[in-house]
Structure formats: C-alpha cells, structure tokens
Amino acid sequence: MAAPEISATLDFTRPVALSLNALLHFVTDDSVDGDEGIVEHLKNVLPSGSTLTITHVTPDFDPDGIARLTGAHRAAGTPGQARLHAEIAQFFAVWDLLNPGVVPPQRLRPGPDDGAENITDAEAACYAGIARKP
C-alpha cells in the first residue's frame, strides 16, 4: 500500500471503494497471511467513509456442485475455497453493512427489468455484500 504508484493514484485522505469481487475464494485459509489477514490489512488502511464490496462463492445452496468446482480448480493447480455465509459476513466485521446485507447477488440491488427474479440461489452460487467504514 506504500508503493508510489498507489499513492499517486489513490488519495487516502478521501474515501476509497475497495472491490474484492470473485477474488477471495482464490485465497485459502492455509495461504500465507490467510484471507482475513489480507482483508483486515486492506480495511485498516482505508479512511472512514470507504466502502468494501465482496462477492464470494458458497457451498450453501449446492454443496456437491461447489465441491466439484473447487476440486476441479485444485486439480488444475488453482487454489480455491468456498465459504459459508457466516464466514463471508465476517469479512465485513466492524464496518456498517448496507442493506440488504450479505445475500445472493441477484438480491443485492435488483433492477425492475433485469431478470434477477429468474435466477435461483443455487445458480448464483455466491453471496455479495457492501459495507461502509464508520
């Protein structure tokens, strides 16, 4: 975070939007520093008013299908880890989680004509959430 390229791009005296979409499921618990260490570090350096957006695969709706998916990733040499709702929600700890909370993405901000009502939770296979740093 101290790299000159970052400080030349981001003004850490103003809120920053941090997007960790479809990323954290490639950081396993046994990775160096682990997922919470990385996320907590990023959260700690951001100023008040910043936002954090996360989407993350979950086995909650289709455990067998997600086990096959993560197994295929591992077999190809790509680490992967699906997480349960409570584990994903923990990434937002001590920040103000915006409504509707940690939900399947089609329920996060559905538009009137986006077809979100036709997507099942098992098809989405992930959760999404947005939080603001107090």
Side-chain angles (χ1 to χ4, degrees):
M1 297 303 287
E5 298 83 5
I6 292 177
S7 61
T9 304
L10 299 174
D11 178 359
F12 286 103
T13 66
R14 302 184 56 171
V16 173
L18 175 60
S19 173
L20 298 177
N21 291 316
L23 177 68
L24 293 174
H25 42 252
F26 295 111
V27 180
T28 61
D29 286 345
D30 60 350
S31 298
V32 176
D33 291 333
D35 50 88
E36 290 179 279
I38 293 167
V39 174
E40 287 307 307
H41 172 73
L42 293 171
K43 287 168 57 179
N44 288 336
V45 300
L46 297 179
S48 178
S50 293
T51 58
L52 170 63
T53 303
I54 294 174
T55 61
H56 196 302
V57 71
T58 185
D60 285 354
F61 310 113
D62 182 8
D64 294 336
I66 297 303
R68 286 190 303 275
L69 173 69
T70 56
H73 278 261
R74 284 190 200 110
T78 303
Q81 180 174 344
R83 290 184 174 85
L84 303 173
H85 183 272
E87 295 170 302
I88 298 165
Q90 188 59 39
F91 289 124
F92 297 104
V94 306
W95 284 36
D96 298 326
L97 192 59
L98 304 183
N99 284 329
V102 178
V103 296
Q106 75 274 17
R107 298 173 193 220
L108 190 63
R109 300 278 188 265
D113 298 317
D114 64 6
E117 69 278 0
N118 298 321
I119 300 170
T120 68
D121 294 348
E123 289 170 329
C126 67
Y127 285 112
I130 303 170
R132 182 174 291 118
K133 186 173 186 175

